Amino acid sequence: MSGDLKWNKIFGAGLGTVFAILVVQQVSGAIYATHAPEKMGYQVNVPDEADAGTAEAELAPDWGTVLPVADLAAGEAAFARCQACHNVAAGGADGIGPNLYGVVGGPVMHRAGFAYSDAMAAHKAEAPIWGYDELDQFITAPNRYVSGTKMSFAGLRDTPTRINLIAYLRSQGSAAYAIPAPDPARQPGAAAPAEGEVLAEGAAAETVATEAGAAPAEAAPVAPTAAPAQ
């Protein structure tokens, strides 16, 4: 009889332990249950399709008007978000992305030895120079402007911030790249250009600056540097 009671006690202890574990799991699950926040604490700046369509409909900046009065200090502050992948020092080494010294007005894929993407190589055949409009569109939404680029940055949709950033980049080795004459077609209140007209107008404005005595973009002295993307 005593032997039977011993095994009963052992089985009873085992069942009691299992029961206690199940109770603890249920109670702790109820106390420490997690719930998704109603609003995320950090929102990633990812342009969606609606924003992309809106950006395309907007007038391109009038570089002849906005660059001379751009805030270089604000542009330098905006460049801080680029420093994880790029540097802008003269003679600086490449990082995850190429060095950007002298990039404004410089040729696409200028940094010898840097592993650019096939997408950037294809883009170079269509737009070989990083002019103001090209940089502006790329910085707005890199993967939309150069589909397939290695650059993972979602884009910078705030126009004044982009203008200050481009002005700062121009001050770093690209000061010889001409600022075009003010373009009335790009002034506030002007009609938005049709698709495909932005680059043409930018080119025309740069031609005006060239005819006025400024060096053409192709002839502007640019330090051996890289394109702003991969």
Side-chain angles (χ1 to χ4, degrees):
M1 191 69 173
S2 62
D4 293 338
L5 291 176
K6 181 183 71 174
W7 286 110
N8 286 342
K9 291 178 181 179
I10 292 173
F11 290 140
L15 290 173
T17 301
V18 171
F19 179 76
I21 292 174
L22 291 175
V23 170
V24 170
Q25 286 181 336
Q26 293 298 321
V27 173
S28 62
I31 295 175
Y32 298 106
T34 58
H35 304 281
E38 295 181 0
K39 183 177 180 181
M40 298 302 293
Y42 177 77
Q43 178 160 357
V44 179
N45 184 18
V46 180
D48 54 28
E49 292 182 2
D51 292 329
T54 301
E56 288 178 352
E58 293 177 351
L59 284 171
D62 179 13
W63 302 109
T65 300
V66 299
L67 284 179
V69 296
D71 187 338
L72 296 183
E76 183 176 9
F79 182 74
R81 72 190 69 189
C82 310
Q83 290 179 328
C85 299
H86 302 279
N87 76 72
V88 74
D94 297 324
I96 297 173
N99 180 288
L100 300 183
Y101 183 82
V103 66
V104 182
V108 174
M109 295 179 64
H110 186 75
R111 191 74 169 176
F114 186 82
Y116 293 97
S117 64
D118 293 338
M120 189 58 66
H123 173 73
K124 179 180 180 180
E126 300 176 0
I129 300 297
W130 283 118
Y132 299 117
D133 283 331
E134 290 80 4
L135 276 173
D136 183 55
Q137 292 181 68
F138 183 77
I139 295 172
T140 300
N143 200 50
R144 176 163 57 88
Y145 185 61
V146 181
S147 179
T149 178
K150 293 179 182 178
M151 187 165 172
S152 59
F153 179 56
L156 186 58
R157 288 174 286 178
D158 183 66
T159 299
T161 302
R162 290 197 314 275
I163 290 171
N164 291 332
L165 175 58
I166 290 172
Y168 171 71
L169 290 174
R170 180 179 179 272
S171 73
Q172 304 301 304
S174 299
Y177 186 59
I179 295 176
D183 184 355
R186 295 192 180 194
Q187 295 293 333
E195 183 178 356
E197 290 184 1
V198 171
L199 294 181
E201 290 179 357
E206 290 171 10
T207 300
V208 170
T210 300
E211 292 175 351
E218 292 79 0
V222 178
T225 53
Q230 306 159 46

